[in-house]
Amino acid sequence: MKKEDLLALLNDMTPEEKIMQLVQLPGSAFESDFAVTGIADEASFDKLKKLAGSVLGIRGAEKVKAIQDEYMAGQPHHIPLLFMLDVIHGHDTVFPCPLGQGATFEPEISRKGAEIQAKEAAADGIQVTFSPMVDLVRDARWGRVMESTGEDPYLNGEMASAMVRGYQGESVADKEHVAACVKHFAGYGASEAGRDYNSVELSEYTLRDQYLKGYDKAISAGAKLVMTSFNTLNGIPSSGNKWLMRDILRKEMNFDGVLISDWGAIGEMVPWGFAKDLKEAAKLAIEAGVDIDMCTESYAANLASLIEDGKVDGELLDEAVLRILNLKNDLGLFEDPYHGASKERYEAITLSKESREIARDAVRKSLVLLKNNEETLPLRDGNIALIGPYASCKNLHSSWALSLDPEKTVTVMEAAGESKDVSLFLGMNQGGGLGGLNKKIVRVAKGSTILDNDTVLGFGEYHNESLDEENEKLLNEAIEVAEWADTVVLCLGEDIGQSGESTSRTNIMLPDIQMELFYEIRRRAKKLVTLIFTGRPLDLECIPDLSDALLICWRPGTEGGHGIWDVLSGEFSPSGKLPMSFPWAVGQAPIHYNVFATGRPKPTEGVTNFTTRYLDCPNEARYPFGYGLTYSSFDISKPVSDNDVLKKGENATGADKINVTVKVTNTGVVAATQTVQLYIRDLVSSRVRPVKELKGFKKVRLLPGESKDVSFEINEEMLRFWTINNKFESEEGDFRVYVGFDSTTENFYDFKLS
Ligand code: BGC
């Protein structure tokens, strides 16, 4: 539809019709005549269903088409309904959780993943996905760190913009793409004490310099929607924050798409004590520029009277409706209200061989090898015990994989069984003998349940069946298998319900039952490889010290087993790098590498009294951001540059950009990929700066003995920050550039900006 036709349509709509475009209903309203919006009486509910502009949570091409047909027939202008869903890290083909994707340091694999997710979701009737989540995360107590790509603004921005490009393609009108919604704007990752839905206090400096950057990049990549966050920011709930939404999001970031509230967030301004009732909340939200009210009755019940009474400018309503109509138009819904949804196409493309291949590639690139003593990995031929509750667990996804069928997931055990050189056996030795069949004989034993007897899960349920007896049996079997093996691969991890929304924890260790299993197996294992399935950095207690090898597997998704076996078997050399610091102890949270410099840095040697430190724990992470081993070893040269002076401004001397180069050499005996990381520090500036900031990274694959030069370009723009003048600018002076394989690198080179 042309712009003028959209305007004509808008002018022809009644106020009620317009307001209803701003209302989003949960799928239950259409599927089971039940809406959790609070609108109780039947007449209003009926009207809502007839006129609400969008719905969340309905999938299935046939269902979507039927609902759309009925809706459009009743909508006075036949405006189509918009279908949205959280497709976070996969629709049917589920990719590693976003934190795992961050570990790939490969935006392109996330772009491809998002493209596949969009294709499957669109065929299944979805038009908008509530992804990517770009919240900067530094506190592993917060369960939602799993949904972000980590603690670094640059990495987050690169990953999120790649996802936006993948979801949206060249044009969202294309039937294989969906519109992306960047969330949660803004600062949600800094929730106080890592507790979900909590308040956030951030200085404008930190907000702009670190927290907003990722969203900005994703928005610049063309995301069609943005979602408000649940938190307050310096005392103001996001959905009512005019400065944040109008000045920063709309004006500074030039966002002209649809701003949607998070679920119920407009209504939550009441319990926050920011609005006295839903009416006031509606006024605050529309004035802040929130276009869609997700699942409350604030807009539906109050906007009409607010406008009639002159308390809200009617222009604000028109503005919001136009943005929603524009989105529907961009999606091509006026021409094809199903956006290409098709059962046949969905069945033909979903979980295709090609999609699974890409997911498998994403998994193996996401795995982070934290330890590998005496080349315990890759696995050698011989007797291998695959033990632990994750050895044959199908729940390798996260609580945000809403559509997948876990039966389609490949477990580690299944992947091992498919391998040509493996003979696989379950459990105890049946007495028939195991030898002689293949080079690797793998026996599997569950060992324990995932959770302890009394664990409280995210949704308040108790795991209350008595597991003691079952666990004793499982343990005995695992011990027998462990004693038989040359190497034990122990698959441990958090429960699927322990990370995601509303899963904050003060204890970020593995469940006790699994630690008991760990100790029992460690005592018996000749060689122990520990695999950790997790949505957050964990306090790994003694696991790293007592394991011969340690591999972080995140929540790897549908192709988890294949990707993991590729790495265990040596088919693929691991290359993942931590996107978020793993702490020594939960007491270090929030912890991140890019901390501000301090006036009393802790010396590396000697007396540390009266310097910044803990008495009982290092300041640094146990495993830092950017860290991860491969099956090879690498050398890196000192950085060299083609110029020592970078020019600032028209008349300055120096170069417009300088190139910093290192020579990277594979000094080991296997081909492997290393991620070369570029960090910069501004040595003296008008505000205290972080000790290091990631500004670039490049993955380089090298054969044994091979060397390659890796260069990074540095320009003035990369040195800008939110200065004392309250704007992004660079300041003349000295800078240090670090190039290395993780964020602790001391391989540096100094240059000047003048
Ligand atoms: C979450 C959002 C999500 C929305 C819709 C909320 O509870 O915070 O991330 O997109 O629900 O499912």
Side-chain angles (χ1 to χ4, degrees), residues 383-387 441-444 481-482 484-485 487-490:
N383 293 350
I384 297 164
L386 198 54
I387 295 176
I441 301 169
V442 176
R443 288 175 64 196
V444 187
V481 175
W484 157 89
T487 303
V488 175
V489 177
L490 186 57

Side-chain angles (χ1 to χ4, degrees), residues 56 86 88 130 144 147 183-184 188 197 227 230 262-263 294 400 501:
L56 134 74
D86 292 89
I88 305 295
F130 296 128
R144 301 199 78 168
E147 300 171 53
K183 67 187 190 186
H184 307 84
Y188 189 26
Y197 318 118
M227 186 187 289
F230 280 134
D262 201 347
W263 182 300
M294 188 195 289
W400 274 119
E501 187 175 343

